[in-house]
Amino acid sequence: MTSENKKSSVAALTLSAVGIVYGDIGTSPLYTLRAIFDPEHGLALTTPNILGIISLIFWSLTIIVSLKYVTLVLRADNRGEGGIMALMALALNSVTRHSKWHFPLLVIGVLGATMFYGDSVITPAISVLGAIEGLEVAAPGMSHYVVPLTIFVLVALYSVQRHGTAGIGRFFGPVMLVWFIALAAMGIVNIIASPVILGALNPLHAFRFMLENEFLAFVALGAVVLAVTGAEALYADMGHFGRKPIRLAWFMIAFPALTLNYLGQGGLLIADPTAIDNPFFHQLGSWSVIPLVILSTMAAVIASQATISGTYSMTKQAIALGLLPRMRILHTSESQIGQIYIPAVNWLQLVVVLIAVIGFGSSEELAGAYGIAVTATMMATTILTFFVTRYRWKLPLVLCLGATGFFLVIDIMLFSSTALKLFHGGWFPLLLGTVLLTGMLTWKRGRELVFENLQRHAIPLDAFLQSLFVGPPTRVPGTAIFLRGESDGVPHALLHNLLHNKVLHERVVFLTVRIKEEPWVALPEQVQVVELGHNCFQLNIQYGFKDEPDIPGVMQHCATLGLPFEMMETSFFIARQTVISAPGGGMAPWREHLYVAMSRNARGAADYYQIPTNRVIELGTQVEI
């Protein structure tokens, strides 16, 4: 690739990153200052307080986003992939499976992921509400239409998800670029009108504000967090864009535009304190409100789209890592493998988003719920980063503690502040996270119990084949493929087939799929063939948690390893397990019943691995847990 092509591809990726990665944090100016100076907090709208708050916002963006995420956390990539799931896999890989830290790290990672789900529910609700609330500024009588219009926009957004974002995705970057230019321009206009606000760049204003206001300042911190929501998205999207475009988009476009706009809103409030009812829409006067409502609604929809797509991606990773049951995953783009649609997640998320919109009714009320989800994910990220820097990168303990400890202190302060909003909306993402955490850990433990049960009753494969061919059964033409777990012994489907049909195919293949705690596994490393004798083979397939399981695709590659397949002469035998909750050990009865319900609704293995349905024979088996 020529240097000119490289430059153009970096420029294109940077523009795309502006649209996808910074949509969430880019829409924060819609509601942040309004939430901070909410009359409930009792924070006086004085010049020293305004300077202190804007200073806190600027230094939060600098320390949390620029230093922590863009500089440090983006280095912790799992083969180019980012996000809490990739980071958790990296941290788990840096300690042994039998380490005392393995389970706590798993819980921290899963908890961080469930909080990301909470964030992805609140982002569409608060962003679209915040944008449409501009109508109240244009015409106070329109306030009754804000919630119905928000519901209409959100239902329309979720309804088009099945068509994918390939068509409209190309407009995300340019629209968000216009949005950031508008943010910067509005900020400059108000800074010129009230240049005293530039003093907020001095961190002394932030310290003075904290010292003078004490508890009120601590409460305000919970709302200052709103300015950094979406920081997790830039790490989660690293695999799509790469480090360089994400960093360029932040330092060249998003960071300057956000800084200018927050300074501008602060300047406006110093000059005109009455604008506090909605400072964002008062920045340019009444003539600009309707155009701003249209532009901000478009920006809010793009911000929502980014979190919706992020939810699909995280769900797919969670399924691969054994934290959620298999679900139907549809691909919405022939050229981009990452563009997926999960119907069950889409409609469930829409229901919860609509509950949030109707239940809270305004962006101000939702602000309390938002902060706690964001800060919990930030804390989880910081803790996991410590284990990666210490045990994977082998950096000195003092350096690891110094780097992550500094950020952890800030995360704990912010989380403590947002926790004060527990009864004012903070319970919502925590309840959502608790439900998801329970479901994920129940599914993981249930799978372990099923595995243990199968192992207890497993017949060693080598010994079985040896005894089977002492007096071999009748061999029939064709190839039989039996799916088996890593330590399952003889597949139940093979035993059933021999018991009822009393025949064996002329070629028998035992297929085992393993998911590694890495995002991608190269095709040559995915396939391993082991000859077992008597025309029987063990076929091991390894996938990363972001790889697309495609058994027929891998089987084509097997020809190069001396094991060609003719699909029309191949049958797949799969044992469909019916899990039964039995009294005694295992989990608590209610968790066992939850696992059984999840298991019954899980997508079939054949469907998940893209095995042609007309080549599948399913045989039932019961497993007690």
Side-chain angles (χ1 to χ4, degrees), residues 157-228:
L157 175 64
Y158 280 87
S159 297
V160 299
Q161 291 303 310
R162 67 181 183 278
H163 302 299
T165 58
I168 56 169
R170 66 174 74 96
F171 299 111
F172 285 4
V175 169
M176 288 308 294
L177 186 61
V178 171
W179 170 254
F180 281 117
I181 290 168
L183 288 183
M186 289 191 293
I188 290 166
V189 167
N190 286 291
I191 291 167
I192 291 169
S194 189
V196 69
I197 193 64
L198 289 171
L201 296 174
N202 184 343
L204 288 175
H205 283 289
F207 286 118
R208 194 177 297 129
F209 170 77
M210 296 296 287
L211 290 171
E212 287 176 2
N213 290 281
E214 295 177 345
F215 184 70
L216 275 180
F218 183 64
V219 173
L221 266 184
V224 169
V225 167
L226 298 173
V228 295

Side-chain angles (χ1 to χ4, degrees), residues 446-478:
R447 275 169 52 93
E448 286 169 0
L449 289 170
V450 168
F451 178 71
E452 286 166 15
N453 181 295
L454 291 172
Q455 268 201 315
R456 275 197 304 273
H457 300 99
I459 303 165
L461 184 62
D462 291 343
F464 174 80
L465 291 177
Q466 215 170 347
S467 63
L468 179 68
F469 289 108
V470 170
T474 305
R475 307 291 289 259
V476 294

